[in-house]
């Protein structure tokens, strides 16, 4: 029996653990965290919990002592695009064969950092594993194992990808008591389809922290509401994990719908996918109408 509000005991996570043991031959590997927003902190914490429970002791290529501190998205960490510390990379790789890249959404034309990182890591490691992603770009040449967090669209780009739930589903958040009725969490970036971030009272919560911020803070904000309305994937996951009535609105491409079909719909009856705002309950849609 899995813990309510978590997919921690799902067979896909057990299969992932077994595969990592086989690829690492029981040895240590290096975990690389993709830079991102507060939603990526849920992915990171899910992966860290997964490693702890499964008995892995990876080297972490990010400052773990700063994990639980709160950082704004723009301030920390420094983003030096295109700059690679070869000496540091060689030090991380010394004596090890396997690199593991965090899960996320940076496998698309909009965010392609994972593909570049995998290419770089193959210069230092003989094997690379990419934890559950959404893929819209072809794989890179080399010994790379791709995990995808959907069962359909990602396979069009990376046919060899193996399904596993997004690492955020490994989390077991503590209960929060809701204090308000409906919370709106719409994005305003390139993945936004309807630009509903203009809605009065909207909170683009993912932009309030980065991948090293404390995910409990995100759960605290989302958990204030009985009903969560969002086009942010990890806000939808947070709402579902907390048992909130969650309406997940599709974005500029298929990511939300595909993860909903693979993980949310089969396991969280409190979660509902909306292909467009018109699919939302009438009272919610009517509030959004002036901003569409």
């Amino acid at each position: 029996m899995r813990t309510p509000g978590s997919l921690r005991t799902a067979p896909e996570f057990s299969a992932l653990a077994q595969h990592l043991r086989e690829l690492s031959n029981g040895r240590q590997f290096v975990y690389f965290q993709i830079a991102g927003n507060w939603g990526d902190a849920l992915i990171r914490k899910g992966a860290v919990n997964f490693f702890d429970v499964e008995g892995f002791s990876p080297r972490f290529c990010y400052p773990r002592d700063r994990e639980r501190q709160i950082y704004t998205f723009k301030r920390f960490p420094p983003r030096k695009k295109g700059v690679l510390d070869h000496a540091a990379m060689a030090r991380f790789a010394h004596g090890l064969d396997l690199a593991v890249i965090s899960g996320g959404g940076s496998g698309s034309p909009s965010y392609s950092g994972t593909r570049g990182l995998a290419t770089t890591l193959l210069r230092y490691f003989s094997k690379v594993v990419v934890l559950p992603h959404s893929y819209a770009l072809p794989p890179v040449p080399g010994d790379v194992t791709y995990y995808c967090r959907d069962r359909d669209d990602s396979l069009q780009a990376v046919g060899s990808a193996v399904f596993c739930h997004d690492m955020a589903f490994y989390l077991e958040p503590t209960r929060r008591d809701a204090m308000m009725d409906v919370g709106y969490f719409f994005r305003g970036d390139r993945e936004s389809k309807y630009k509903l971030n203009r809605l009065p009272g909207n909170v683009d919560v993912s932009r309030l922290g980065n991948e090293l911020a404390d995910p409990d803070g995100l759960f605290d904000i989302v958990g204030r509401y009985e009903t969560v309305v969002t086009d942010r994937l990890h806000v939808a996951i947070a709402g579902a994990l907390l048992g909130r009535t969650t309406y997940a609105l599709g974005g500029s491409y298929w990511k939300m719908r595909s993860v909903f079909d693979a993980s949310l719909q089969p396991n969280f009856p409190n979660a509902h996918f909306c292909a467009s705002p018109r699919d939302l309950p009438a009272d919610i849609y009517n509030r959004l109408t002036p901003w569409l």
Side-chain angles (χ1 to χ4, degrees):
M1 292 289 291
R2 67 176 178 86
T3 301
S6 173
L7 298 184
R8 177 169 292 201
T9 60
E12 291 83 1
F13 285 123
S14 298
L16 172 60
Q18 180 59 32
H19 193 205
L20 288 177
R21 291 189 183 95
E22 293 170 357
L23 289 176
S24 63
N25 295 315
R27 301 170 62 203
Q28 195 176 44
F29 54 83
V30 184
Y31 175 77
F32 292 85
Q33 176 63 46
I34 294 292
N37 59 40
W38 210 354
D40 293 282
L42 273 64
I43 294 175
R44 173 188 55 75
K45 190 61 175 180
V48 170
N49 288 356
F50 169 78
F51 296 145
D52 289 343
V53 170
E54 293 294 341
F56 296 111
S57 299
R59 295 180 189 172
F60 288 92
C61 191
Y62 69 91
R64 289 201 71 191
D65 61 319
R66 299 177 181 175
E67 279 181 350
R68 296 191 60 82
Q69 298 180 43
I70 296 295
Y71 297 94
T72 65
F73 183 79
K74 293 182 178 179
R75 280 184 50 233
F76 185 89
R79 319 273 180 177
K80 297 181 179 179
K81 294 183 179 180
V83 176
L84 174 65
D85 187 335
H86 291 275
M89 190 69 74
R91 183 174 67 254
F92 278 118
H94 180 69
L96 302 179
D97 299 321
L98 177 63
V100 176
I101 299 174
S102 68
S106 57
S108 69
S110 296
Y111 301 101
S112 57
T114 295
R115 197 171 190 275
L117 179 57
T119 301
T120 297
L121 293 179
L122 286 170
R123 297 167 55 185
Y124 301 92
F125 298 88
S126 59
K127 295 170 286 189
V128 173
V129 171
V130 182
L131 294 181
H133 257 70
S134 299
Y135 301 107
L137 297 173
V140 300
D143 191 352
V144 182
T145 301
Y146 294 91
Y147 281 87
C148 59
R149 55 190 181 181
D150 64 277
R151 299 181 184 272
D152 42 29
D153 293 284
S154 287
L155 298 178
Q156 302 302 310
V158 183
S160 63
V162 180
F163 172 72
C164 182
H165 301 288
D166 187 289
M167 298 306 296
F169 285 109
Y170 200 83
L171 295 172
E172 295 181 340
T174 58
R175 177 180 173 179
R176 271 85 168 166
D177 293 326
M179 299 176 288
M180 291 173 276
D181 185 14
V182 182
Y184 297 90
F185 300 93
F186 293 114
R187 65 195 310 150
D189 59 10
R190 69 189 77 175
E191 288 190 40
S192 172
K193 184 175 183 179
Y194 299 101
K195 307 304 180 186
L196 286 167
N197 60 305
R198 300 171 298 159
L199 180 74
N202 179 69
V203 180
D204 193 357
V205 66
S206 291
R207 296 289 299 185
L208 300 180
N210 67 17
E211 75 281 358
L212 295 184
D214 183 356
D216 280 341
L218 190 149
F219 282 117
D220 287 341
I221 296 172
V222 174
R224 295 172 185 169
Y225 300 91
E226 290 281 2
T227 299
V228 174
V229 186
T230 186
D231 57 357
R232 285 272 189 194
L233 174 60
H234 285 91
V235 173
I237 292 175
L241 289 172
L242 290 169
R244 301 299 190 254
T245 299
T246 301
Y247 293 99
L249 184 64
S252 62
Y253 75 115
W254 43 258
K255 178 179 72 175
M256 179 74 87
R257 193 272 310 158
S258 64
V259 176
F260 182 90
D261 289 350
S263 299
L264 286 165
Q265 189 276 330
N267 298 288
F268 298 91
N270 55 306
H272 311 275
F273 177 72
C274 301
S276 80
R278 290 187 177 274
D279 297 329
L280 291 163
D283 57 332
I284 295 176
Y285 173 69
N286 289 339
R287 185 183 175 197
L288 301 182
T289 300
W291 306 96
L292 290 172

